[in-house]
Amino acid sequence: MQPFTTLTGIAAPLPLANVDTDMIIPARFLKTIARTGLGKSAFANMRYAPDGSEKPDFVLNQEPYRKAEILIAFENFGCGSSREHAPWALLDFGIRCVIAPDFADIFHNNCFKNGILPVRLPHAVCEKLMEDAKLGGNARLTVDLARQVVIRPDGEEISFNVDPLRKHLLLNGLDDIGQTMEHASAIDAFETRKRAAQPWMFGTGTTL
């Protein structure tokens, strides 16, 4: 998993509440178990007309937001079904950070497991950041996870909270498997002791 340290990028304003996972990645795209290739289908019903053409009024179809790495929305982002494809689609599009007043719990957890930083900030602050984002590519936001601040284009720093363990995992690019492998030496030592004490469990003992 790619570490998340400091991100400076284009932010796309999505002034909507209750953006559910079916809006993020419609159910018809859930046939794959691959984490790549879903970016083109992110927000498909909002991005494309029935004939497959782009809807020019949707923010991610506009410049410079086609290259957005930060998404700003309103309350209850990621609600609905617990599909992990939702953060996969955002990440494959290029989104590494979502800023909103709050998130659905399962989506929030899935973001951390896939290298996306969900940042909770008050509604009024999200409105300010959306106004910044509307200025386009010359008004990039910076998200500094180590210092736990969002830096506006004018230099104002806005603090946010994040769970210390999840912060550690993101900073070091550790998913669930990577977190387990941090304890590889202890696991190996346990297996060595277990193999010596109960060799039959490993197929090396005496058979009758």
Side-chain angles (χ1 to χ4, degrees), residues 8-65:
T8 297
I10 295 168
L14 188 66
L16 298 173
N18 302 311
V19 174
D20 64 32
T21 52
D22 192 61
M23 294 168 68
I24 298 170
I25 184 69
R28 63 185 181 276
F29 300 109
L30 303 187
K31 298 176 183 178
T32 179
I33 59 172
R35 300 190 182 197
T36 57
L38 288 171
K40 63 181 181 297
S41 303
F43 298 102
N45 293 342
M46 304 170 75
R47 284 170 71 190
Y48 306 113
D51 64 1
S53 61
E54 290 188 349
K55 296 179 180 179
D57 58 340
F58 185 63
V59 62
L60 297 182
N61 290 335
Q62 302 169 3
E63 296 294 346
Y65 307 112

Side-chain angles (χ1 to χ4, degrees), residues 11-15 59 64-65 72 127-137 139:
L14 188 66
V59 62
Y65 307 112
I72 308 168
E127 287 186 323
K128 289 182 180 180
L129 295 178
M130 285 188 190
E131 291 303 312
D132 290 338
K134 290 176 183 177
L135 298 176

Side-chain angles (χ1 to χ4, degrees), residues 165 168-169 172 174 177-187:
L165 175 58
H168 167 77
L169 297 177
N172 292 279
L174 298 172
I177 295 174
Q179 183 180 1
T180 300
M181 293 309 296
E182 282 195 304
H183 306 283
S185 59
I187 294 170

Side-chain angles (χ1 to χ4, degrees), residues 79-98:
C79 57
S81 64
S82 57
R83 61 190 67 168
E84 195 168 1
H85 292 69
W88 292 357
L90 292 176
L91 190 63
D92 195 60
F93 179 87
I95 300 296
R96 294 294 317 280
C97 176
V98 181

